Amino acid sequence: MNGNTTLRHENTSLLSVSEVTAPIEVTSAFYDEQLKSTLDRLGLPEGLLQRVAGVNSRRNWAEDSGGFVEGGVAAGKKALAAAGIEAGQIGLMINASVTRANLEPSVAVSIHDGIGLPSSAMNFDIANACLGFVNAMAVAGNMIESGAIEYALVVASEDASKVQRATLKRLQREGITRAEYLNEFASLTLGSGASAAVLGRADKHPEGHRILGSVTRAATWNHELCVGDHDGMFTDTAGLLSNGMQLVTSAWEEAHENGWDWTDMDRYIMHQVSDVHVNAITKAAKIPLERVPKTYPVLGNVGPASLPITLAREVDSLTAGDRVLAMGVGSGLNTSMTEIVW
């Protein structure tokens, strides 16, 4: 079945977006050192992560810290301070992280408690691979528009260290094949970090950044192309790229047929994956590459936190009236595009 789902917001604004950078840098050169014997045995060159993916480093939380939960709490508090909103004013808090230590309770409860949100603030997780944050913004926007809440806080905090360690151990084992190595290559692009955003009513916050709406599209018959857990991420890279680009192109074209005009945005904030991914999307949608900021070269793929982290790093360079398109593809496959007027 073809077709986009379209949401249009009349009274929702982005009031702030924050980033908390994980403190420990892990370079791709370090991975090359750890995998040298495997690379030599398989006849693979060093520097694949840098040359193919464009990922030179990523970040991790300190082992003696509170990790991703502490990072999510810090990002949430930072976003509240930037928006000038008190914790007691929040009516909804959504955690959009992929990372979780347990199946239950939700990650949201730990972050809700850590920030000191009121008992009246609803809280839950939305998990949809790398699209979780933009999906959470859409849900929060609809609840603001309905009058159910005044303010929402969306948080995503990721910890890729377990996946990194498990992947390195597997790639170092005797007998690994070239195909098996390349199937897990994407796991080493993952990084850790946290981001948060505060949403509120546009009529109460003329200084805010209007969220005009979004389109989403599903191609869920591709749900086995990228499967991950704490032990690793197993990816059909070629299939994921091909089918992902087909999905994005279909959604983009139909969105334009239905009144969205995204051909000349001031900034395109994409989910951060790799050079291959960015180059394919910009070529397919005829997007000027210079308007696509990149954080994956130094942060890697921070899952659903990647997009808001990248937006947070662009805040100081955006001016009133700038048009921003937040766009991404999540494993599954799903895609979403959200327009924000700065």
Side-chain angles (χ1 to χ4, degrees):
M1 182 180 294
N2 295 324
N4 294 343
T5 294
T6 295
L7 299 177
R8 295 187 184 271
H9 297 306
E10 299 295 331
N11 196 26
T12 302
S13 279
L14 175 69
L15 305 185
S16 68
V17 59
S18 70
E19 175 197 1
V20 171
T21 306
I24 308 299
E25 182 184 48
V26 182
T27 66
S28 293
F30 169 77
Y31 284 164
D32 283 339
E33 293 173 9
Q34 299 298 302
L35 295 168
K36 188 177 188 315
S37 62
T38 299
L39 292 169
D40 289 344
R41 190 166 64 250
L42 297 177
L44 291 169
E46 295 182 13
L48 282 175
L49 285 164
Q50 299 93 316
R51 291 197 303 275
V52 176
V55 176
N56 301 312
S57 63
R58 73 285 294 141
R59 316 290 298 192
N60 277 338
W61 305 108
E63 290 188 14
D64 59 351
S65 73
F68 75 98
V69 170
E70 185 177 278
V73 169
K77 289 181 176 180
K78 189 174 180 180
L80 288 170
I85 301 300
E86 299 293 331
Q89 294 176 270
I90 296 297
L92 169 69
M93 194 282 288
I94 302 176
N95 167 67
S97 306
V98 168
T99 301
R100 60 191 61 249
N102 311 293
L103 290 177
E104 60 175 298
S106 69
V107 177
V109 297
S110 297
I111 297 176
H112 183 284
D113 177 57
I115 295 173
L117 296 174
S119 60
S120 56
M122 290 179 285
N123 61 97
F124 48 82
D125 292 351
I126 285 182
N128 190 20
C130 294
L131 285 185
F133 201 96
V134 290
N135 291 156
M137 287 177 63
V139 170
N142 283 345
M143 291 189 68
I144 290 168
E145 302 267 330
S146 74
I149 59 171
E150 291 275 330
Y151 299 100
L153 176 65
V154 178
V155 178
S157 186
E158 302 301 333
D159 184 352
S161 60
K162 288 183 180 179
V163 176
Q164 293 167 5
R165 289 194 296 269
T167 300
L168 281 173
K169 184 176 181 180
R170 248 189 329 274
L171 296 183
Q172 289 168 330
R173 77 182 188 275
E174 291 291 334
I176 186 171
T177 67
R178 191 185 183 102
E180 288 171 332
Y181 185 98
L182 295 176
N183 189 41
E184 296 198 52
F185 179 76
S187 299
L188 298 183
T189 67
L190 299 177
S192 306
S195 188
V198 175
L199 282 69
R201 287 173 52 179
D203 58 5
K204 283 195 171 184
H205 293 276
E207 80 284 2
H209 316 297
R210 284 287 309 280
I211 300 176
L212 299 187
S214 63
V215 301
T216 63
R217 194 182 188 99
T220 54
W221 52 91
N222 297 295
H223 64 271
E224 295 182 346
L225 293 179
C226 182
V227 179
D229 56 26
H230 284 151
D231 291 328
M233 186 167 69
F234 307 90
T235 307
D236 176 349
T237 305
L240 193 66
L241 181 64
S242 174
N243 288 281
M245 288 309 99
Q246 183 178 351
L247 176 64
V248 170
T249 301
S250 298
W252 178 273
E253 291 175 352
E254 185 168 312
H256 281 237
E257 291 170 2
N258 286 280
W260 299 95
D261 181 9
W262 296 327
T263 56
D264 191 28
M265 306 296 283
D266 295 286
R267 211 76 91 251
Y268 296 88
I269 308 295
M270 296 185 182
H271 169 56
Q272 302 288 301
V273 180
S274 67
D275 279 345
V276 174
H277 176 265
V278 168
N279 292 339
I281 287 183
T282 54
K283 182 179 179 181
K286 298 181 175 62
I287 293 171
L289 191 58
E290 64 273 14
R291 299 185 194 177
V292 182
K294 301 175 184 177
T295 56
Y296 61 82
V298 294
L299 298 179
N301 176 353
V302 198
S306 285
L307 191 153
I309 284 174
T310 306
L311 179 58
R313 293 192 172 197
E314 290 296 298
V315 165
D316 291 340
S317 68
L318 292 167
T319 58
D322 281 350
R323 297 175 66 210
V324 176
L325 186 67
M327 57 191 302
V329 181
S331 299
L333 289 165
N334 288 290
T335 189
S336 183
M337 304 171 195
T338 300
E339 182 173 349
I340 306 169
V341 177
W342 215 254

